[in-house]
Amino acid sequence: MADQYGFWRLLAEGLRGHTGWKPAWRDPEPKAEYDVIIIGGGGHGLSTAYYLAKNHGITNVAVLEKGYLGGGNVGRNTTIVRSNYLHTGNVLFYEKSLQLWEGLSNDLGYNVMFSPRSIINVFHSDSARDADTRRGNQMILHGADAVLLNREGIRREAPLVDVDNPRFPVYGGLKQTRAGSARHDAVAWGFARGADRRGVDLIQNCEVTGIDVRNGCVVGVQTNRGPIRAKKVGMAVAGNTSRVGKLAGLPLPIESHVLQAFVSEGLKPMLHNVITFGAGHFYISQSDKGGLVFGASLDGYNSYAQRGNLPRVEHVMEAAVSFVPAVSKVRMLRSWGGVMDMSPDGSPIIDKTPIEGLYLNAGWCYGGFKATPGSGWCFSHLIANDSPNHHIEQMRLDRFETGYVIDELGAGAQHNLH
Ligand SMILES: Cc1cc2nc3c(=O)[nH]c(=O)nc-3n(C[C@H](O)[C@H](O)[C@H](O)COP(=O)(O)OP(=O)(O)OC[C@H]3O[C@@H](n4cnc5c(N)ncnc54)[C@H](O)[C@@H]3O)c2cc1C
């Protein structure tokens, strides 16, 4: 695919005052009927549409987005990309996704700024070391990479971590070298442009208000811009999953919770990897603009509001200062919240639903950004072939009835603990 934003084009546009740029995608009116409708123009909806066209030749596709493309969680997250999971059902999928990240900018002809700067999960006890050793071995067995670091390794890799903290002394960490971060908006825009160029209609300001089902089969959707017929409909609406499921009369095992994120003032380079605290849920990295980007656990209560509360802010700041004391000197610039689609076992669902032709992509919890390419790859395969590929065989909707859950944290069936 021609690289619209390549060096020579940038040079030419610079010389002629940037007068030649065209919109990156069309703004079409919805057609009366499509082969496939994807509800939700976030990262997962856009990547699904892209791979439907690219991998399966299905281009009579519409992505219906109630707001603007990328206005949901895909543009609100802390951009960590990794595949350091314990359970086969997760590590198989997330490793596939990480491999797609590694070639994504070239594939899309769009710089998604994937930066494999590594992630280190720090541990603070012998038992946590055992658990991380097991996780690292499991990752290696599934083709991912993992290295166990001791205390000196942490000092070397992340000198600002308070290794000798008297309350939470650091014993070491599990490092995944190929992990890192990416630019979230660019990922949404890259997939949007790629899908549009292959003929997919991206329709913004188009809220799905009903899902039409006849004799147990999906036949289309109702929207604020009129009804649209479709042979197949895929849901990729993240924090709105339970609401949209309800439109089809589907009770789904998803709870929505708020997750907050924080950014500091811009600083000179001080953190070279993504690092996570093991004595509390806290993660931090430094963006290319210099801001420290960090977050922690959910706000705990159910909500569809994209804002959080102050007790969680206090908790996050405490964790930050315990882990990287230098942060106490830094000014916090801004914070925001996003609505997380939490599943009971903390792992995603990519599956058919009991309604024929209606497919579900949900339960991304904290981790759906890194899943963006993998999710589209696998969801498009499911929609095109009516059967899952091997990366998502365990991500079934009925696992909460059969008991074959993918309980990554061993936290049990409580949504807000994952
Ligand atoms: C603060 C925060 C930090 C995070 N950090 C990370 C991280 O570091 N790493 C990581 O991997 N993940 C992270 N995540 C999670 C990740 O962002 C999400 O799991 C992922 O973005 C969800 O998939 P999506 O991109 O498709 O969702 P979204 O971008 O939310 O897309 C869903 C879209 O559906 C649309 N929609 C909803 N209802 C309707 C309707 N009725 N009709 C039409 N459209 C509709 C919404 O408007 C939205 O645009 C974080 C999330 C938050 C909030």
Side-chain angles (χ1 to χ4, degrees), residues 126-140:
D126 288 331
S127 55
R129 180 195 292 118
D130 291 348
D132 271 343
T133 306
R134 184 170 169 228
R135 174 187 296 255
N137 285 331
Q138 177 76 342
M139 289 164 62
I140 290 167

Side-chain angles (χ1 to χ4, degrees), residues 39-45 64-66 72-74 76-80 206-208 236-238 240 244 259-261 336 338 340 364-370:
I39 311 175
H44 294 232
L64 307 183
E65 166 54 47
K66 72 174 176 179
N73 283 346
V74 70
R76 307 175 77 82
N77 65 81
T78 44
T79 74
I80 301 171
C206 184
E207 178 169 0
V208 171
V237 292
N240 283 285
V244 175
L259 179 68
Q260 299 191 56
W336 63 89
M340 318 293 293
W364 293 102
C365 304
Y366 293 78
F369 178 67
K370 62 181 163 315

Side-chain angles (χ1 to χ4, degrees), residues 41-357:
H44 294 232
L46 294 168
S47 66
T48 302
Y50 173 77
Y51 289 119
L52 270 172
K54 182 179 177 218
N55 292 359
H56 306 285
I58 301 174
T59 55
N60 186 20
V61 176
V63 176
L64 307 183
E65 166 54 47
K66 72 174 176 179
Y68 60 93
L69 296 183
N73 283 346
V74 70
R76 307 175 77 82
N77 65 81
T78 44
T79 74
I80 301 171
V81 174
R82 59 186 174 86
S83 67
N84 55 356
Y85 282 82
L86 173 67
H87 286 295
T88 303
N90 278 329
V91 71
L92 255 185
F93 167 80
Y94 284 104
E95 178 54 25
K96 170 69 189 171
S97 197
L98 183 53
Q99 287 170 12
L100 289 171
W101 277 107
E102 287 167 338
L104 197 58
S105 293
N106 277 343
D107 183 34
L108 296 175
Y110 199 100
N111 188 1
V112 300
M113 296 170 70
F114 175 57
S115 164
R117 58 184 70 179
S118 82
I119 186 167
I120 301 173
N121 298 129
V122 165
F123 48 76
H124 307 262
S125 68
D126 288 331
S127 55
R129 180 195 292 118
D130 291 348
D132 271 343
T133 306
R134 184 170 169 228
R135 174 187 296 255
N137 285 331
Q138 177 76 342
M139 289 164 62
I140 290 167
L141 285 172
H142 285 85
D145 63 302
V147 182
L148 202 66
L149 300 175
N150 59 15
R151 283 164 70 86
E152 296 318 310
I154 301 294
R155 278 192 224 281
R156 193 178 58 243
E157 294 265 354
L160 291 179
V161 167
D162 188 7
V163 170
D164 301 314
N165 185 308
R167 197 161 165 213
F168 310 114
V170 170
Y171 281 38
L174 183 68
K175 177 180 178 189
Q176 182 176 31
T177 307
R178 292 162 51 241
S181 67
R183 170 80 202 274
H184 42 27
D185 296 322
V187 176
W189 298 335
F191 274 120
R193 190 183 72 144
D196 173 85
R197 284 183 165 191
R198 287 174 168 79
V200 170
D201 282 357
L202 307 174
I203 302 170
Q204 305 182 70
N205 299 312
C206 184
E207 178 169 0
V208 171
T209 53
I211 297 181
D212 297 333
V213 179
R214 204 170 299 144
N215 300 326
C217 301
V218 82
V219 291
V221 297
Q222 299 291 324
T223 77
N224 59 350
R225 295 173 68 172
I228 309 177
R229 293 191 303 279
K231 298 182 183 75
K232 297 182 172 184
V233 174
M235 285 168 52
V237 292
N240 283 285
T241 297
S242 44
R243 282 173 163 171
V244 175
K246 210 170 164 190
L247 299 177
L250 269 186
L252 293 172
I254 301 291
E255 282 189 7
S256 290
H257 289 266
V258 176
L259 179 68
Q260 299 191 56
F262 305 83
V263 172
S264 78
E265 60 187 324
L267 302 160
K268 289 188 175 169
M270 58 183 274
L271 272 181
H272 307 300
N273 354 59
V274 181
I275 48 175
T276 76
F277 190 36
H281 191 185
F282 174 80
Y283 40 89
I284 185 165
S285 63
Q286 189 167 20
S287 79
D288 291 343
K289 284 194 286 187
L292 298 177
V293 181
F294 51 98
S297 307
L298 301 170
D299 273 37
Y301 50 87
N302 299 126
S303 176
Y304 292 110
Q306 290 182 324
R307 59 172 184 272
N309 68 12
L310 287 172
R312 178 58 64 197
V313 177
E314 192 177 359
H315 169 91
V316 174
M317 298 309 153
E318 282 169 2
V321 173
S322 300
F323 189 36
V324 184
V327 172
S328 66
K329 307 274 187 233
V330 172
R331 274 169 295 207
M332 199 184 87
L333 211 60
R334 57 200 168 90
S335 68
W336 63 89
V339 187
M340 318 293 293
D341 42 331
M342 304 301 295
S343 65
D345 61 359
S347 296
I349 303 161
I350 306 184
D351 202 359
K352 298 196 257 188
T353 71
I355 297 170
E356 205 179 315

